[in-house]
Amino acid sequence: MTANKKPRLHILPLAFAAVAAPCFAATDWSAIAQADMKFAIDKVRSGHAGSVSGQIDVTAPLEAGARAGMLEAADAKTEQDYNRALVRFINSFGDPHTGIQLMLPTRAWTGIVLDHVDGKFRVIWSEPNWPQPLPPRGAIVQSCDNVWIGTYLKSNVAPFSNHSLEYDTTPSDLARKAMFDIGLGWTPKQCVFQVDGGARQYQLPLRAVADGIGEARIDAVRNSYQAKAKPVGVYRLAADKQWVGMPNFNGGTSGDAYTALYPKLTALKNTAWIIFDLRGNGGGDSSWGNRALQALYGEAYGEDLGNTATYVKSVIANQPTIDLFRRFAGLPQFAASKAEFDSAVGKLEAALAKGEALAPIDYTSKEDASALAAKVSRRPGGPRVAAVIDRGCFSSCMNFVQQISSMSDTVILGEPTIGYSPYGEGSQYKLPSGRGAITVPSAIYTAFQATREPFVPSVRYDGNMADDDKLMAWVDAALTRLSTH
């Protein structure tokens, strides 16, 4: 094993593959749905690295979803039927790496937002000056459309969510979505709430976003409870603690900010704590995170940390994937990784010529990976690291958490993530109808982390993850307590 091996990349950009769109009668939703469903099934079966490598988390929902999906598609009579069939199939995989884009913006709102707080479903937002009475904030939901609220969410919202039910934050996510109409028919008409010690039923007719609400108002409400890390940069938390914003690993939007960040981190080698703020970081190119570790601890140790997250990367050997990697190699935000992409293209072309389904792009034995993990567990001086994670930390963000967690004294704070996904390098394919596209990951990574295992913080925060001031004050106090014990 080479000590200074380039860190293994973990990325999730998208590439578009054009697909000819056949003509359908404007109202023939059954034909449209069946054509698009068959296309989606075939693409997942042949183009998803988990399907090609026989991973049960993909093969089981694929076979079950293929049977049910084609039946549901055949029965489609409306646009909503079409949307529900396609979204249900794709989201049955419970992994945002397998995605669908059908242009489903928020069209209407009931005026309230629910959340799962202290074991109860409660109103966390109630819009003032609404046309009809609304339950107040803090009201507890009992039932919706005559069904207990938990059952309602499981039956009407969960099938169209890619957050699987086993994750701690999923009840919260389902509740937060339920009162916004995006064309899937999941919004209840009425709910019963506990208000002032008694039960009261409220009608919840939808009000169109275009009818005096506006997208800006919807965004403002959501921003009050949907967490996002501070912009890329360094923020003073305390004399001995520096807060580092990492809201994404997208070089296209944040590359200049990350380039400016690294010299600042190099100058902080003598501070006590570096806190990486990873809230809402949905991924991108993991090298932007690894270069921060190189700035703090030196290139060699940083690269070693980068190789602890995964130890085998295998990619589907087909022409669309080769084209995808060629595209990556030509993008300016991946300029630092061009050599790796060029090398991957060569390996994929050789595997394709041999008729191999998967090509190992990077390989380290499990024994060598374990030895490397033991080697890097102790930091070579420098700041101690903490990270703030939440349900929005996904893909390359999880890869970065794996890297920093290789240091034995790293502290993870916040709330649990959804489950770890070992996939990446997604290709986007337009549906035959032209009504949208699906995203299918072509790469699978082997790691010590189990598939679908969530990252759980060692110090849990039960407050509002979107409230910067309260969260940062809490992190400061929590790390101070740890430092004195």
Side-chain angles (χ1 to χ4, degrees):
M1 180 178 61
T2 305
N4 291 328
K5 179 181 176 183
K6 193 79 172 177
R8 188 166 290 113
L9 292 174
H10 193 286
I11 55 177
L12 182 65
L14 302 177
F16 290 85
V19 179
C23 296
F24 297 101
T27 57
D28 193 355
W29 288 107
S30 176
I32 294 172
Q34 288 183 80
D36 282 359
M37 182 66 74
K38 183 179 186 304
F39 178 84
I41 292 167
D42 290 344
K43 283 299 180 186
V44 172
R45 181 171 285 129
S46 63
H48 194 303
S51 171
V52 173
S53 59
Q55 305 301 310
I56 191 172
D57 58 288
V58 177
T59 58
L62 172 59
E63 297 313 314
R67 291 190 296 270
M70 288 306 299
L71 290 172
E72 188 173 8
D75 197 41
K77 297 178 178 61
T78 66
E79 182 180 13
Q80 185 177 90
D81 293 340
Y82 164 89
N83 290 338
R84 289 169 67 91
L86 268 294
V87 171
R88 186 195 299 268
F89 170 69
I90 292 296
N91 286 339
S92 69
F93 297 96
D95 179 0
H97 280 137
T98 309
I100 186 165
Q101 300 80 41
L102 289 179
M103 303 300 180
L104 300 177
T106 300
R107 306 191 306 186
W109 183 28
T110 63
I112 64 172
V113 180
L114 307 182
D115 208 341
H116 192 244
V117 182
D118 297 331
K120 302 283 187 180
F121 290 97
R122 304 172 187 267
V123 177
I124 62 166
W125 187 267
S126 184
E127 192 72 354
N129 305 315
W130 204 248
Q132 70 275 342
L134 294 176
R137 291 196 208 185
I140 298 173
V141 195
Q142 289 184 333
S143 64
C144 289
D145 292 348
N146 301 312
V147 178
W148 178 62
I149 179 60
T151 300
Y152 182 90
L153 294 174
K154 182 178 179 180
S155 302
N156 285 24
V157 185
F160 309 103
S161 170
N162 56 24
H163 289 190
S164 299
L165 288 174
E166 66 266 28
Y167 306 132
D168 284 356
T169 56
T170 295
S172 169
D173 275 297
L174 299 180
R176 290 177 177 186
K177 294 173 181 175
M179 296 296 161
F180 296 97
D181 171 41
I182 62 170
L184 295 176
W186 64 26
T187 309
K189 295 179 174 60
Q190 54 81 20
C191 293
V192 176
F193 299 84
Q194 287 182 6
V195 181
D196 297 330
R200 180 178 173 184
Q201 179 173 294
Y202 287 82
Q203 299 300 316
L204 298 171
L206 287 165
R207 182 181 175 191
V209 172
D211 179 24
I213 302 174
E215 294 180 4
R217 180 59 178 167
I218 298 291
D219 289 343
V221 170
R222 284 178 169 154
N223 287 340
S224 70
Y225 59 84
Q226 289 182 338
K228 193 68 178 176
K230 295 177 78 66
V232 176
V234 178
Y235 306 84
R236 185 182 186 276
L237 182 62
D240 60 341
K241 303 180 186 75
Q242 298 294 326
W243 188 276
V244 180
M246 288 185 163
N248 60 62
F249 288 141
N250 185 340
T253 60
S254 301
D256 289 345
Y258 273 110
T259 300
L261 171 68
Y262 303 137
K264 297 176 184 177
L265 292 179
T266 300
L268 294 174
K269 288 183 176 180
N270 295 322
T271 195
W273 286 96
I274 294 291
I275 300 101
F276 292 114
D277 181 2
L278 299 170
R279 292 172 295 161
N281 185 326
D285 181 352
S286 61
S287 70
W288 295 107
N290 182 259
R291 287 166 66 186
L293 300 178
Q294 294 182 39
L296 287 171
Y297 303 113
E299 183 177 350
Y301 182 71
E303 289 189 350
D304 279 348
L305 288 175
N307 288 314
T308 59
T310 60
Y311 53 92
V312 179
K313 175 183 177 180
S314 300
V315 180
I316 291 178
N318 60 18
Q319 195 58 50
T321 306
I322 292 171
D323 294 341
L324 176 71
F325 275 62
R326 281 205 177 107
R327 177 173 179 263
F328 290 163
L331 292 174
Q333 61 263 41
F334 299 129
S337 304
K338 185 180 186 307
E340 287 89 332
F341 288 126
D342 289 339
S343 174
V345 167
K347 294 175 181 178
L348 289 171
E349 288 178 331
L352 181 61
K354 296 177 183 176
E356 297 172 351
L358 284 171
I361 299 302
D362 287 303
Y363 177 82
T364 302
S365 70
K366 190 172 184 179
E367 293 73 21
D368 284 347
S370 297
L372 179 62
K375 171 188 171 184
V376 302
S377 63
R378 186 170 182 175
R379 289 181 293 109
R384 189 173 178 184
V385 164
V388 178
I389 62 171
D390 73 338
R391 69 193 73 182
C393 174
F394 184 70
S395 190
S396 296
C397 179
M398 292 178 167
N399 180 277
F400 184 64
V401 174
Q402 289 171 311
Q403 294 180 40
I404 60 177
S405 296
S406 297
M407 297 180 287
S408 60
D409 61 352
T410 295
V411 178
I412 307 295
L413 310 98
E415 69 177 8
T417 67
I418 63 170
Y420 169 67
S421 170
Y423 306 111
E425 270 75 323
S427 295
Q428 193 174 69
Y429 301 95
K430 293 181 181 179
L431 295 169
S433 68
R435 297 185 58 82
I438 62 170
T439 304
V440 180
S442 61
I444 180 170
Y445 299 81
T446 303
F448 293 108
Q449 188 89 3
T451 299
R452 301 295 168 82
E453 179 183 356
F455 292 80
V456 179
S458 51
V459 186
R460 176 72 180 259
Y461 182 62
D462 293 319
N464 181 1
M465 292 293 298
D467 189 327
D468 286 0
D469 292 340
K470 290 184 179 179
L471 172 65
M472 293 172 73
W474 175 84
V475 169
D476 182 21
L479 295 181
T480 298
R481 286 194 300 270
L482 285 173
S483 299
T484 57
H485 288 83

